[in-house]
Amino acid sequence: MTARPSPATVGGDGPSGRGNTRVGVITFPGTLDDRDTQRAVRLAGAEAVPLWHRDKDLKQVDAVVLPGGFSYGDYLRAGAISRFSPVMETVIEQARAGMPVLGICNGFQVLTETHLLPGAMLRNNHLHFICRDQKLRVENANTSWTAEYEAGQEISIPLKNIDGRYVADERTLDMLEAEGRVAFRYLDTNPNGSLRDIAGITNEAGNVVGLMPHPEHAVEPLIGSGRTDGLGFFTSILKKLVNA
């Protein structure tokens, strides 16, 4: 079952009455998937706004995506240097005030480094880079980025990482489970050794979501995985913002 695009939310006035909903996509040195993410945002019906990591100004966007790649070459630790980019000061402030933020792969790593999401990402347990289509189960369909899915729905989107093993202490893992904050779980196989098969999580408010697989590579039938299971991330945020 693929995600349900929401034609009623395409276009129209954004939350601030400016016209189209504006979704910012941040580029750090070493970011690879910013253009793909911008395209996914446009396909969903929103305006994609490029944001540069050295600029604190978010250009009045309604939501932000931290895309995948190898920011700063993953030197020191994946996402650790990007966490201190000037743009992240504003993102942290706005996320805590309720702005929707999505972190994909390296973006998820940055979100854990900023402590907007708990836990950490370590090297895959097999110590190899992995690139494959990955089946996921949607565990939480009540976040800003998952509303177009159904709890229990199975989707398939590409996965590509070498530092994708999600870890946290048992207390944190138990908290995430008890509060329904595990957003996605790996199915059939655990590709990187993530604890409890966790592929993505959300903060308590549901406006910040991070996941390792790449929904922006599954938005058109003719490219990427050949499926459109990832489009629901971007139509979800449009639906959330238009109805806000």
Side-chain angles (χ1 to χ4, degrees), residues 28 31-33 37 65-71 74 78-80 102-113 117 120-122 124 129-131 157-166 186 192 199-200 209-217 233:
F28 301 95
T31 295
L32 299 178
D33 298 308
T37 304
V65 181
L66 282 64
F70 300 91
S71 61
D74 282 350
L102 175 66
I104 302 170
C105 196
N106 189 234
F108 186 10
Q109 295 161 345
V110 175
L111 290 178
T112 62
E113 292 289 339
L117 292 175
M121 312 302 300
L122 299 181
N124 296 344
F129 180 84
I130 187 170
C131 183
I157 59 178
L159 172 77
K160 50 178 187 176
N161 63 70
I162 193 169
D163 295 295
R165 178 161 54 109
Y166 180 76
Y186 296 117
N192 45 36
V209 171
L211 79 160
M212 286 311 296
H214 288 258
E216 77 280 9
H217 295 325
F233 283 84

Side-chain angles (χ1 to χ4, degrees), residues 3 27 58 101 120 156 207:
T27 299
L58 297 185
V101 177
S156 179
N207 64 301

Side-chain angles (χ1 to χ4, degrees), residues 61-165:
V61 298
D62 304 299
V64 168
V65 181
L66 282 64
F70 300 91
S71 61
Y72 291 94
D74 282 350
Y75 291 116
L76 181 61
R77 190 172 59 249
I81 301 177
S82 292
R83 179 261 179 273
F84 294 100
S85 290
V87 73
M88 290 309 301
E89 180 179 331
T90 312
V91 169
I92 293 169
E93 176 185 335
Q94 293 300 310
R96 289 174 175 164
M99 173 180 280
V101 177
L102 175 66
I104 302 170
C105 196
N106 189 234
F108 186 10
Q109 295 161 345
V110 175
L111 290 178
T112 62
E113 292 289 339
T114 61
H115 304 296
L116 286 173
L117 292 175
M121 312 302 300
L122 299 181
R123 186 62 51 97
N124 296 344
N125 60 347
H126 45 71
L127 303 182
H128 295 289
F129 180 84
I130 187 170
C131 183
R132 53 169 290 170
D133 288 345
Q134 176 65 48
K135 185 181 287 188
L136 306 174
R137 182 172 62 241
V138 180
E139 302 283 20
N140 185 334
N142 295 317
T143 78
S144 297
W145 300 92
T146 60
E148 286 287 89
Y149 298 100
E150 297 175 358
Q153 182 176 341
E154 297 181 7
I155 62 175
S156 179
I157 59 178
L159 172 77
K160 50 178 187 176
N161 63 70
I162 193 169
D163 295 295
R165 178 161 54 109

